[in-house]
Amino acid sequence: MALHATAFSFTGVSTSSKSSRSALLSLPRRCAVKATSQYPHSFPRCKIQGRALPSDNGLVEKDESSLVVCFGEMLIDFVPTTSGLSLAEAPAFKKAPGGAPANVAVGISRLGGSSAFIGKVGEDEFGYMLAEILKENNVNSDGMRFDPGARTALAFVTLRKDGEREFMFYRNPSADMLLQEDELDLELIRKAKVFHYGSISLITEPCKSAHIAAAKAAKDAGVILSYDPNLRLPLWPSAESAREGILSIWNTADIIKISEEEISFLTQGEDPYDDNVVRKLYHPNLKLLLVTEGPEGCRYYTKDFSGRVKGIKVDAVDTTGAGDAFVAGILSQLASDVSLLQDEGKLRDALSFANACGALTVMERGAIPALPTKEVVLNTLLKSVA
């Protein structure tokens, strides 16, 4: 997949009318937000009512003992309304919330699990909008911070006719890059069952140090570490720095999910379909290595067994967020039943569930808007075996 990027410094986002500004502002300015980058709790002066996912009895029931905390970036994806055109040719774009760790957090909550997001956005309309989206999806946002001096990150996504993507990022720097170690909610991290992260937060300081400190706090507390490198080559200074950065934390993860493309990149061109090549990436303390293959499904590797689980074929509209939906699917299952790491039958069932999550997500534009509920996933699985 070809990726492109540009350096761009922006000072604001204009709105053409009072009504459009109101539609964009999930949280109005009268909430009296201080000009500071750290908030002990999200929106201390604003009352926000989130639309939580109801249980069968109509009440929100989240098992905090199965909490998945997702760390990293949250941003706005601008997805063209017409596929198969370059960014310059696209007539219009759909604004969609995104960012891999945030996608996973929302995905888990939509599936009925318990999740939290830790990261930083700009103290701007887009930042407030993203925070409100977390609230609406019943994602714990106590670890979310706001930066008064940097904007929320933007990414323009070009869709080819087959739904595959090319990216152009606007972050110079964006707020997510500026999260500091002393802004971390360590209590939230330590009470997680799973701590999930990517590699984009390793690219620049101070976020890199915050990432390493957060992962160490989780590891020391006995939390399962889940790693999806989520390679975005244009964001790194060079291919070599990307490879070194991704591998620098490789051996600390308990679960790693990678794509075929990322295997080729990390092994410098070796065959991603060769099990011997994949096994080179399996470090001694790893509990589960997952390789996603798009519509073909996924492969899994543990110390004791390995195999393949077929995917569900659908007509792809936009593949943005498919891998994140897959991760949300498997982590939502794992957080409630860690024994699936030792039980191949349970693992295969969980991966079938995760494959369905990914397939359903590519059928709509944008990542978070397309993430499925547990009911939809289960109905899809029933239809696929009928």
Side-chain angles (χ1 to χ4, degrees), residues 18 31 40 74 76 110 124 129 141 152 201 209 211 219 230 253 270-271 290 305 327 331 359 363 377:
K18 185 176 180 180
C31 290
M74 189 173 192
I76 304 290
R110 290 247 180 105
D124 53 31
M129 184 192 81
S141 59
T152 301
S201 48
S209 292
H211 176 130
K219 192 77 169 180
N230 194 35
E270 294 191 53
D271 184 3
L290 297 170
F305 49 78
V327 172
L331 292 186
M363 297 172 69
V377 175

Side-chain angles (χ1 to χ4, degrees), residues 59-120:
L59 299 175
V60 177
E61 294 181 354
K62 296 290 184 179
D63 183 3
E64 289 299 323
S65 66
S66 61
L67 176 67
V68 179
V69 174
C70 301
F71 175 94
E73 68 279 2
M74 189 173 192
L75 48 83
I76 304 290
D77 286 326
F78 284 91
V79 184
T81 55
T82 304
S83 300
L85 300 175
S86 68
L87 289 177
E89 295 170 328
F93 295 84
K94 175 185 176 181
K95 180 176 84 268
N103 293 343
V104 174
V106 173
I108 289 169
S109 186
R110 290 247 180 105
L111 295 169
S114 175
S115 65
F117 173 74
I118 292 178
K120 184 180 265 191

Side-chain angles (χ1 to χ4, degrees), residues 226-246:
S226 166
Y227 183 25
D228 176 4
N230 194 35
L231 176 65
R232 295 290 178 263
L233 195 54
L235 296 179
W236 293 85
S238 66
E240 187 56 36
S241 66
R243 190 175 293 108
E244 290 178 0
I246 288 171

Side-chain angles (χ1 to χ4, degrees), residues 194-214:
V194 179
F195 183 68
H196 176 72
Y197 48 88
S199 68
I200 290 175
S201 48
L202 293 170
I203 298 174
T204 59
E205 293 288 4
C207 190
K208 178 180 178 179
S209 292
H211 176 130
I212 293 170

Side-chain angles (χ1 to χ4, degrees), residues 11-12 29 41 45 51 69 79 93 98 101 112 140 143 153 168 194 226 253 263 302 307 323 327-328 362 364-365:
T11 58
R29 290 292 188 186
H41 302 285
R45 294 177 175 79
R51 187 180 68 252
V69 174
V79 184
F93 295 84
N140 182 322
M168 184 168 69
V194 179
S226 166
I263 293 173
T302 73
V327 172
V362 306
E364 295 183 37
R365 295 182 190 275

